[in-house]
Amino acid sequence: MSDIVAVFTSKSVETILADGGSQSWALDRVRASRCDYLVVCRNANDQPEGPEPHGSAFLVGKVSDVVASTETAGRYKILISHYALVTWEEEWGGARNPVAYWKDSDYTDDEGKVRDFKALDFKKVEDFAVDRAKDNAPAGLTIAAAKAGLAATFNVPETAIEITIRA
């Protein structure tokens, strides 16, 4: 049996994948870290970054860890290792708390069938970062720009990045 943590956010797929997960949540870190899957649902009432309909689920991630948020002190980021894009309409039930927990046996579709998370087409989050870096890479990359990009990708200070060039 799998556990699921669902969140209600205005963030886009691109933002979530660039961050390596969904963040700035007030949640039970231990409980969330025990979850196998993250289901991300659209909050279209709070300046949404994405086009998905309000309340719909648009991304499912495999939870890899729950760490301190890099945006908001005292809150958490749910890291994901893999993601699948979904279009599940009216998935958010209207709960006031933007974080909800489920057992997979209770997480059903419109027909009452249990959703099969293992059947989703998961992709590695790191592949999104690599593809995005290729799309955004300047023709001539400077050491400073490379350090800045790597620091942002791995959420470490630029001083922690060392680059060696061998000719």
Side-chain angles (χ1 to χ4, degrees), residues 14-164:
E14 292 78 15
T15 298
I16 292 165
L17 296 179
D19 287 347
S22 184
Q23 68 176 318
S24 295
W25 300 112
L27 52 73
D28 180 336
R29 183 187 177 281
V30 173
R31 186 175 182 188
S33 64
R34 290 183 184 144
C35 291
D36 299 300
Y37 297 102
L38 167 68
V39 175
V40 183
C41 299
R42 169 63 61 227
N43 178 352
N45 293 334
D46 186 23
Q47 299 177 346
E49 294 178 4
E52 300 83 10
H54 185 75
S56 66
F58 60 93
L59 184 144
V60 174
K62 292 184 179 181
V63 175
S64 60
D65 202 357
V66 178
V67 298
S69 171
T70 57
E71 291 181 344
T72 308
R75 298 208 173 198
Y76 294 96
K77 179 193 307 190
I78 304 167
L79 295 175
I80 56 174
S81 60
H82 294 76
Y83 71 97
L85 301 179
V86 297
T87 52
W88 297 342
E89 297 290 322
E90 300 178 25
E91 203 66 16
W92 193 258
R96 296 187 80 176
N97 188 340
V99 178
Y101 299 93
W102 299 83
K103 293 285 185 201
D104 67 347
S105 58
D106 296 328
Y107 205 90
T108 59
D109 63 16
D110 294 340
E111 299 171 358
K113 294 180 185 174
V114 173
R115 293 215 184 263
D116 185 3
F117 288 87
K118 292 179 182 173
L120 296 174
D121 182 24
F122 285 99
K123 297 177 175 101
K124 292 181 181 179
V125 171
E126 67 187 35
D127 290 347
F128 171 83
V130 169
D131 291 343
R132 187 172 180 205
K134 286 179 187 174
D135 291 343
N136 295 327
L141 185 63
T142 66
I143 297 290
K147 281 186 171 188
L150 289 167
T153 298
F154 296 106
N155 195 25
V156 297
E158 287 183 41
T159 55
I161 304 293
E162 294 181 8
I163 297 176
T164 304

